[in-house]
Amino acid sequence: MLVTRSPHQASALADGLRAAGMEPVLVPTIEIVPPKSFASLDAVVSSLASFEWLVFTSANAVEVFASRVSRETAMPKIAAIGPATKRALEQAGLVVELMPEVAVAESLAEVLRPGVRGKRVAIVRAEAARDVLVSRLEEAGAAVQVGVAYRNVVPADSVERLREFDVEGWPDAVTFTSASTARNLVALLDEAGVLLPESVKRVSIGPVTSLAMLELGIPPHAEAKEAGIAALVAAVAEILA
């Protein structure tokens, strides 16, 4: 199984695949690095008392936020986009009051929209994230402030590994855990001068990732029933069975 997650996030998926009797091959298409500036995040941290909601769109955002705020700081109400983000918040000692049933920005916006008119909302996220959450909350009358916690970059070392697959043989399937992993894999394949064989089953973690794959011309053969590692592993096992 080709795993495209960033190196520090890949272990949980790799462990899940091994437990299901599969061999993970790690070729990251994303590397998580600090933002060009922490100014926007620090601005959020310094004015937490002024927000009605503090919203996290990834576990990575939680990790960086927690490293820059005191544990004694009083928090506004906290919302998480999905189970992995919720777990990261709980591990950081923070209480999650709201989480949508489907782990996508559109669903998070819908559950937040009631009652945000005239309120301030802080969103902690990646530098180049989709703006759908910001725009929909602003349409509902919220004053939204974004704190940038990290950047996603393309790891150049993965290019040579993809070329090796063209010689040694490709894995049976490839997992996509975000729209960025899909976009970056296509960019890396282009740079390596190789094509992803149709025989390699493409498995998506959720609808936003699947839509990005479809737009890139690599539609998924399977999609996890919910946005999580266990469901993704199950989807891989099912499509290969």
Side-chain angles (χ1 to χ4, degrees), residues 91-103:
Q91 289 168 2
L94 299 173
V95 178
V96 177
E97 298 195 33
L98 188 68
M99 186 184 77
E101 290 186 7
V102 181

Side-chain angles (χ1 to χ4, degrees), residues 126-141:
E127 187 171 88
R130 294 193 307 146
D131 285 328
V132 63
L133 182 57
V134 173
S135 62
R136 293 197 179 182
L137 292 180
E138 288 179 339
E139 288 169 3

Side-chain angles (χ1 to χ4, degrees), residues 50-157:
S50 70
F51 295 106
E52 179 80 6
W53 284 99
L54 178 60
V55 182
F56 293 88
T57 60
S58 72
N60 289 319
V62 175
E63 182 180 337
V64 177
F65 174 86
S67 72
R68 302 186 76 82
V69 68
S70 168
R71 278 185 171 267
E72 290 73 35
T73 303
M75 296 288 168
K77 292 182 290 187
I78 294 176
I81 195 168
T85 305
K86 183 175 184 284
R87 283 193 298 272
L89 285 161
E90 291 171 344
Q91 289 168 2
L94 299 173
V95 178
V96 177
E97 298 195 33
L98 188 68
M99 186 184 77
E101 290 186 7
V102 181
V104 295
E106 289 82 354
S107 296
L108 181 55
E110 285 308 305
V111 296
L112 278 168
R113 281 168 62 96
V116 297
R117 180 168 297 279
K119 305 294 186 180
R120 299 188 73 218
V121 178
I123 301 174
V124 184
R125 68 177 206 185
E127 187 171 88
R130 294 193 307 146
D131 285 328
V132 63
L133 182 57
V134 173
S135 62
R136 293 197 179 182
L137 292 180
E138 288 179 339
E139 288 169 3
V144 180
Q145 186 170 334
V146 172
V148 175
Y150 63 97
R151 286 184 297 142
N152 295 320
V153 298
V154 181
D157 292 347

Side-chain angles (χ1 to χ4, degrees), residues 3-74:
V3 175
T4 57
R5 296 196 100 185
S6 62
H8 83 283
Q9 290 183 307
S11 59
L13 178 53
D15 290 345
L17 290 168
R18 290 190 191 97
M22 294 174 272
E23 180 186 350
V25 180
L26 275 56
V27 181
T29 62
I30 282 182
E31 184 178 353
I32 306 299
V33 300
K36 295 171 184 174
S37 169
F38 281 109
S40 64
L41 179 58
D42 290 340
V44 167
V45 169
S46 66
S47 57
L48 285 171
S50 70
F51 295 106
E52 179 80 6
W53 284 99
L54 178 60
V55 182
F56 293 88
T57 60
S58 72
N60 289 319
V62 175
E63 182 180 337
V64 177
F65 174 86
S67 72
R68 302 186 76 82
V69 68
S70 168
R71 278 185 171 267
E72 290 73 35
T73 303

